Amino acid sequence: MIIELKQTTNVSADRLWQVFGEQYPDISKWSRGVYASKPRDGIAPNGAPFLGRICETSFGKLTETIERYEPGQRAITYLVKGEKMPPFVKRMENNWHFRDLGNGSSEIAMRLNGKLSFPFNILMGWMMKLQLKKDLATNIEDLIYFAENERPHPKKDQADASPKARKAREAFV
């Protein structure tokens, strides 16, 4: 299962990288699908400032491990594992790249590569792809809004006020 999203924005690639790459553990400040987040302890790969992050999300608790971190290229790749991820999900890898287009504009390129075991890749893959594509597009929208306005999207406040989000934050360790 592969999901690729690209979006052009009037936010500079450097600003997007600052929010997404340099402040990687702080995704809960701007993503409405992430209720709480913190850096993972451990030795970070390839000079990354973090091993990864732990997030309490609308999908439950996720643990992310950085595999590639290239500030000069404004690129990051990380593996995602979730407590509630079904056992037929064998691997979930996400790649982000922020490309400068000049005049303060940039392109966000995101590629999620999910490995699902047979026959679930056929039976469930299409449903997962639809939901993940929608959620990832929302994440890009939230990133752009935060990078432009230095505050979260107004819908983030609504998401954080939900009983599910409050409960997740209280249980987050």
Side-chain angles (χ1 to χ4, degrees):
M1 169 182 65
I2 294 175
I3 300 170
E4 293 182 311
L5 298 173
K6 288 188 178 185
Q7 184 161 341
T8 304
T9 179
N10 289 326
V11 178
S12 75
D14 286 338
R15 174 65 179 141
L16 292 167
W17 176 252
Q18 178 187 34
V19 173
F20 197 94
E22 294 173 10
Q23 299 166 13
Y24 179 77
D26 299 328
I27 189 171
S28 61
K29 289 182 179 178
W30 55 265
S31 175
R32 68 187 97 157
V34 181
Y35 308 135
S37 62
K38 65 182 180 182
R40 285 188 59 204
D41 293 332
I43 298 170
N46 305 325
F50 322 101
L51 171 62
R53 64 185 169 207
I54 299 171
C55 303
E56 193 62 52
T57 75
S58 55
F59 294 111
K61 192 176 213 170
L62 299 178
T63 302
E64 299 175 355
T65 305
I66 294 174
E67 287 204 321
R68 176 177 149 237
Y69 187 87
E70 296 181 34
Q73 299 295 314
R74 294 181 217 91
I76 187 168
T77 300
Y78 54 91
L79 293 180
V80 181
K81 293 188 180 196
E83 290 179 350
K84 295 181 181 179
M85 222 177 250
F88 61 83
V89 177
K90 297 302 178 193
R91 183 176 170 92
M92 195 69 65
E93 177 185 277
N94 207 345
N95 303 279
W96 290 76
H97 180 236
F98 306 95
R99 187 168 61 98
D100 182 24
L101 299 177
N103 297 323
S105 65
S106 62
E107 177 187 73
I108 301 168
M110 188 282 319
R111 184 177 198 265
L112 178 88
N113 187 358
K115 303 264 190 238
L116 310 178
S117 60
F118 181 81
F120 299 101
N121 59 335
I122 296 167
L123 300 172
M124 303 294 291
W126 66 274
M127 283 190 292
M128 287 181 68
K129 189 172 184 174
L130 285 175
Q131 183 62 49
L132 287 169
K133 188 173 185 176
K134 178 183 168 202
D135 291 336
L136 290 165
T138 298
N139 212 35
I140 290 172
E141 177 186 348
D142 289 348
L143 171 62
I144 291 169
Y145 189 92
F146 187 84
E148 285 178 334
N149 300 289
E150 305 216 12
R151 67 177 186 278
H153 193 287
K155 291 182 180 177
K156 168 81 170 142
D157 291 335
Q158 295 169 358
D160 282 351
S162 74
K164 182 179 179 179
R166 281 196 305 271
K167 185 177 177 183
R169 279 192 305 278
E170 288 168 5
F172 191 65
V173 202

